[in-house]
Amino acid sequence: MESDYRTLPFAGNGIWFLQPRHKLLDWFVGANHQTGFSTFEITVPSLPPAIVISDPKNVEHVLKNNGVFVKGTFFRSRSWDLFGGCSGNGIINADGDLWRIQRKAGLRFFSNANLRVFIDEALPPILNDTVRSLDEAVSSGRIVDMQGLFLDLTTRLMGKMAYDMDMPASLPFSKAFDLASESIGDRFQNPFWKIKEFIWGVPLRRAFSHVKRFGNEIVSSTVDKRQKGKPNGKESAKEVNPLHENLINSLLDHIPDHQVVADAAMNYLSAGRDTTAQSLTWTLYLLLRNPHHKETLVRELAKTFSSELSLSSTHNTIYDRIQPTYLPCVHAVFTESLRLCPPVPFELKECIAPTTFPDGTWLPEGSAVIWVPWAMGRSRQIWGEDSEHFKPERWLDADGFIALQKSAYEFPVFNGGPRSCLGKRLAELLAVAVLAQLIWEYDFTEVLDKHLGGCGVGGERKSQNSLTLPMEGGLPVKVEFREKM
């Protein structure tokens, strides 16, 4: 194992963690390019002793040994007020039996049968509202923040299908959750976060309280429906919600403690709405910066669909038509975007027993292990010398079909092992359906004027501090109808 990478006396690596998050991610990329697959120590005030791993074999060792590497007390101590009590109620924080129970409920919700309902029944009317909003923007000439538009779509979709609620992103809860998530992200970077929150933390404490209250309202509303419904309440819920098993009922069936259910509901909502909306935003941004790839998608859509493409129409069957065999280029674009802009760019686990990694690194109990999907997605050893270039074709063979396969440990965007992401297939299919519809219907032009929210000519959009990867300032665009030949 190598010694600390760019460690300063006394401060260790802490100076880099005090930088804006996009600069910290760039630092990890530099470390990856310099150290390759070598493991190195990292020293940051207020963090436990830690190592950074990039070798896929070491990542596999962590992700497959769920009993040795856990979220642990360090992670929970910084995120408990958003993701559950001090014991870590929500699935993002939880370990052991509590995690297994919530995962079992999630498996039922993300079943193949439910995925088809998501795409074929729940998505079309919500996507149709998105299309109407863009049509209005074309007519009025107004600038649209696509990140906000995508977030409204994913929030409404998760709200309807997981909780049987009308849940637009404009709800006060959404802003409260965004503030809370940004502050939790800051806690992992800033050694002085307690002082900062003591002085300026009143709005944050209100946000945490609002999120907690909203979670409790979801549970109480569902419990009330169950009690007023038929014998066990689930039948009447299913009459309203077409899913075979919606998430909130599945959680209530498995967990008797309603506060734990509320925490779990907020965890799943965060994972379902934020990451997918942000991934769609970065994908569209990369297409705007690489317009020739957009033209490739248009040609694929024109070739694949003989009639007018209308994924937002409720009479179409979407699920079968957005599989990789039909739209390989759209899938490749989204996957390439995930490689460069993973929605969870930084991962950390705590070691609760001494362990030895495949490369010989020994880690004592109580230490932390960090891996950075943002940096691994730019690893030259995994992706080659063009690792920092947006090249969707790297995923395709000579005939244009998906060919490149990377393990979950080389490409850890959806985690791997026992804690692999339950919503992987939903995120992929939802993104492909939305991208196909919008790319077919519209031409988007990125707004660069800083007075209008742009990043300036020659500038680049950055991520803001958060647990996930929101785009700072959103993605302002001008919209026109695409001319169809």
Side-chain angles (χ1 to χ4, degrees):
M1 181 172 65
E2 296 191 5
S3 59
D4 300 10
Y5 174 73
R6 292 193 196 172
T7 298
L8 302 174
F10 305 111
N13 306 100
I15 190 67
W16 299 103
F17 277 69
L18 287 171
Q19 300 292 316
R21 212 267 293 271
H22 67 270
K23 292 187 177 181
L24 175 62
L25 294 176
D26 288 343
W27 179 81
F28 275 113
V29 173
N32 181 281
H33 288 172
Q34 180 168 320
T35 63
F37 282 167
S38 297
T39 300
F40 64 91
E41 297 177 74
I42 190 170
T43 306
V44 179
S46 82
L47 299 187
I51 61 171
V52 177
I53 59 173
S54 296
D55 188 333
K57 292 180 181 178
N58 288 338
V59 175
E60 181 178 11
H61 179 69
V62 173
L63 295 179
K64 282 189 173 180
N65 287 283
N66 205 28
V68 175
F69 299 98
V70 298
K71 290 294 185 179
T73 56
F74 171 75
F75 189 96
R76 286 196 292 270
S77 70
R78 280 154 174 76
S79 59
W80 67 271
D81 34 10
L82 180 60
F83 292 132
C86 294
S87 59
N89 290 342
I91 192 169
I92 292 175
N93 257 4
D95 294 307
D97 290 341
L98 188 56
W99 167 78
R100 280 187 282 272
I101 291 172
Q102 292 180 58
R103 187 169 177 88
K104 183 177 180 181
L107 281 169
R108 290 172 62 182
F109 177 62
F110 289 109
S111 68
N112 287 333
N114 278 354
L115 285 183
R116 183 177 286 275
V117 175
F118 254 114
I119 301 301
D120 282 346
E121 299 184 36
L123 175 61
I126 296 174
L127 182 55
N128 203 37
D129 288 343
T130 301
V131 168
R132 279 197 293 268
S133 180
L134 289 172
D135 286 351
E136 186 276 326
V138 173
S139 300
S140 65
R142 69 178 174 87
I143 293 172
V144 178
D145 172 20
M146 291 304 296
Q147 180 167 251
L149 200 67
F150 288 140
L151 185 62
D152 187 69
L153 185 151
T154 57
T155 303
R156 290 182 61 198
L157 185 62
M158 279 297 294
K160 177 61 180 175
M161 304 312 289
Y163 312 115
D164 196 20
M165 293 179 64
D166 183 20
M167 194 182 293
S170 58
L171 288 176
F173 152 78
S174 187
K175 291 184 178 180
F177 193 95
D178 291 343
L179 173 60
S181 181
E182 179 179 348
S183 299
I184 295 296
D186 185 59
R187 291 177 181 180
F188 286 93
Q189 284 187 224
N190 187 351
F192 310 111
W193 65 271
K194 288 186 179 180
I195 298 174
K196 178 181 176 182
E197 290 184 13
F198 179 79
I199 299 173
W200 296 292
V202 172
L204 176 60
R205 288 188 284 275
R206 288 174 180 164
F208 284 134
S209 177
H210 194 106
V211 171
K212 181 74 70 175
R213 185 167 60 252
F214 189 76
N216 290 332
E217 289 172 359
I218 289 176
V219 175
S220 62
S221 173
T222 305
V223 170
D224 186 57
K225 288 179 182 178
R226 288 162 69 106
Q227 291 174 345
K228 290 180 179 179
K230 296 178 182 178
N232 63 8
K234 290 188 291 182
E235 291 89 337
S236 66
K238 287 178 184 177
E239 288 172 4
V240 176
N241 193 318
L243 284 182
H244 293 77
E245 180 72 49
N246 74 16
L247 179 61
I248 192 65
N249 274 305
S250 186
L251 288 169
L252 286 167
D253 287 344
H254 287 85
I255 304 170
D257 188 326
H258 288 180
Q259 185 56 63
V260 175
V261 173
D263 291 335
M266 288 296 92
N267 279 224
Y268 272 109
L269 179 58
S270 170
R273 72 170 204 138
D274 291 349
T275 56
T276 306
Q278 291 160 17
S279 296
L280 280 165
T281 303
W282 287 104
T283 303
L284 180 58
Y285 171 68
L286 289 169
L287 285 172
L288 293 178
R289 291 298 175 102
N290 299 272
H292 58 288
H293 290 301
K294 181 205 169 183
E295 296 308 313
T296 300
L297 300 191
V298 170
R299 287 194 296 271
E300 177 177 80
L301 293 170
K303 179 181 178 181
T304 303
F305 299 96
S306 56
S307 60
E308 182 76 7
L309 177 61
S310 182
L311 295 179
S312 61
S313 174
T314 55
H315 65 264
N316 282 321
T317 301
I318 306 169
Y319 183 85
D320 293 327
R321 304 195 298 159
I322 58 172
Q323 301 299 324
T325 51
Y326 288 97
L327 297 176
C329 290
V330 185
H331 279 268
V333 162
F334 184 63
T335 306
E336 180 72 349
S337 172
L338 291 177
R339 180 182 73 83
L340 291 172
C341 303
V344 182
F346 179 96
E347 294 275 11
L348 180 147
K349 289 285 186 76
E350 185 177 321
C351 177
I352 60 172
T355 187
T356 301
F357 284 81
D359 67 356
T361 300
W362 180 79
L363 197 64
E365 178 183 349
S367 301
V369 57
I370 295 168
W371 67 102
V372 185
W374 178 279
M376 291 184 67
R378 290 162 171 78
S379 168
R380 293 172 185 143
Q381 290 179 269
I382 298 175
W383 304 100
E385 292 301 314
D386 59 357
S387 61
E388 297 197 65
H389 297 158
F390 180 66
K391 293 183 62 176
E393 61 268 25
R394 76 174 73 243
W395 299 92
L396 304 174
D397 61 18
D399 296 319
F401 294 103
I402 296 290
L404 180 63
Q405 300 292 331
K406 292 290 185 182
S407 72
Y409 316 110
E410 297 171 290
F411 183 48
V413 172
F414 293 103
N415 257 321
R419 295 190 86 128
S420 59
C421 176
L422 292 173
K424 177 178 184 291
R425 284 295 292 149
L426 173 61
E428 292 171 335
L429 294 175
L430 172 61
V432 168
V434 173
L435 286 170
Q437 180 70 63
L438 300 191
I439 293 301
W440 180 258
E441 295 288 348
Y442 305 102
D443 281 325
F444 299 95
T445 303
E446 181 185 356
V447 172
L448 297 177
D449 188 336
K450 290 185 177 181
H451 295 96
L452 299 175
C455 58
V457 177
E460 294 183 356
R461 306 302 302 191
K462 306 292 185 182
S463 65
Q464 71 182 54
N465 286 1
S466 177
L467 288 173
T468 52
L469 199 73
M471 186 177 288
E472 188 174 50
L475 180 59
V477 300
K478 293 182 178 179
V479 192
E480 297 289 343
F481 292 120
R482 187 182 69 82
E483 292 187 11
K484 302 180 179 69
M485 303 301 292

